[in-house]
Amino acid sequence: MTRPEATTSPRAGIDPVTVLTRLLFVVAFTVLVVRGVWYLSSAGEPSHLISGLLAVGYLIWLSVEIPVTFRKPAQPAAEIRTLAVYACARLTLVVVAMVPAAPWSRFSWWMIPPIVLFVAGIALRLTAIRALGALYTHHVLRRDRHPIVTGGPYRLVRHPAYAGMLLANLGFVLYFLSPVSVLALLALLGGLIWRIRTEERVLWSAPGYPEFATGRARLVPGVW
């Protein structure tokens, strides 16, 4: 069973949201490459090797989602404001987390929990994307006569892809911890909450969605 989506119709030409998102994507991608190479080139210290591998991990994650990130929606979408805020907050988080040197001068067992959160978040997100298959999109779309996805991680929460996104970025920020990266994470959380509320207003009138939402938290079971 598949879950309804929500999106806004693309305008003629390239809209400012697309331009800004692509620019920030290139900046974040470049910062990850440069920092990853820097860490790996000085990998005599185990903490540098781990930091470099984490940068490469985020780089691979971004690369895996490129086909979806820049795919145009097949039908008119409901809104694009939340997409702009959400995308910009995520990409800004990557940049501000990676530009300062990692706070680890040598290996510590405290490095492991953030890495576990990062890997678990990506795994959850990709599992949710796979559950939706070709129906997954970064836009907010509502399709008529669209069945609801209730399998996989959708058995537990309404938005597992967003939950995975937040969990992975939490792990990333905890590893490359700085005051600015924490502020960027809070901005991502705020943008994500706004996006979820907007998306659910669009989807609530879709047949079966209220029943799907009943008894399921949005992101964290028993919390919200």
Side-chain angles (χ1 to χ4, degrees):
M1 306 243 338
T2 48
R3 171 175 174 266
E5 300 285 342
T7 302
T8 302
S9 63
R11 299 177 182 177
I14 300 178
D15 61 89
V17 171
T18 301
V19 172
L20 179 60
T21 302
R22 290 182 178 180
L23 177 61
L24 281 174
F25 185 92
V26 171
V27 172
F29 202 91
T30 302
V31 169
L32 285 168
V33 170
V34 171
R35 263 304 188 190
V37 169
W38 185 84
Y39 281 123
L40 293 176
S41 65
S42 56
E45 169 58 49
S47 65
H48 285 185
L49 174 61
I50 295 172
S51 299
L53 291 176
L54 204 60
V56 170
Y58 209 118
L59 193 64
I60 293 173
W61 178 22
L62 283 180
S63 300
V64 167
E65 292 197 24
I66 282 178
V68 178
T69 300
F70 298 113
R71 184 173 64 199
K72 291 184 178 180
Q75 68 182 68
E79 61 82 40
I80 59 174
R81 292 177 304 165
T82 61
L83 175 61
V85 172
Y86 166 61
C88 291
R90 178 193 178 184
L91 295 171
T92 300
L93 181 150
V94 172
V95 174
V96 300
M98 289 300 299
V99 168
W104 309 99
S105 58
R106 58 177 57 88
F107 176 79
S108 168
W109 289 107
W110 289 106
M111 301 165 70
I112 303 302
I115 295 173
V116 171
L117 292 178
F118 178 72
V119 174
I122 294 177
L124 174 59
R125 180 168 174 82
L126 295 182
T127 300
I129 291 174
R130 184 174 181 179
L132 289 179
L135 296 169
Y136 179 77
T137 174
H138 284 178
H139 297 272
V140 179
L141 297 171
R142 183 176 62 193
R143 298 180 173 94
D144 295 332
R145 299 186 301 276
H146 192 56
I148 309 295
V149 174
T150 58
Y154 288 92
R155 291 194 301 264
L156 303 175
V157 292
R158 301 181 216 172
H159 305 281
Y162 292 150
M165 163 71 70
L166 191 59
L167 185 64
N169 281 287
L170 172 62
F172 196 73
V173 166
L174 288 177
Y175 185 92
F176 296 101
L177 189 61
S178 71
V180 179
S181 65
V182 171
L183 291 176
L185 181 65
L186 293 176
L188 176 61
L189 176 60
L192 201 57
I193 291 173
W194 181 31
R195 180 167 174 79
I196 287 172
R197 290 191 180 279
T198 300
E199 181 175 334
E200 290 196 334
R201 282 197 296 269
V202 173
L203 296 176
W204 204 260
S205 60
Y209 191 81
E211 291 78 10
F212 164 78
T214 301
R216 284 182 177 86
R218 295 176 177 88
L219 292 176
V220 182
V223 179
W224 186 75

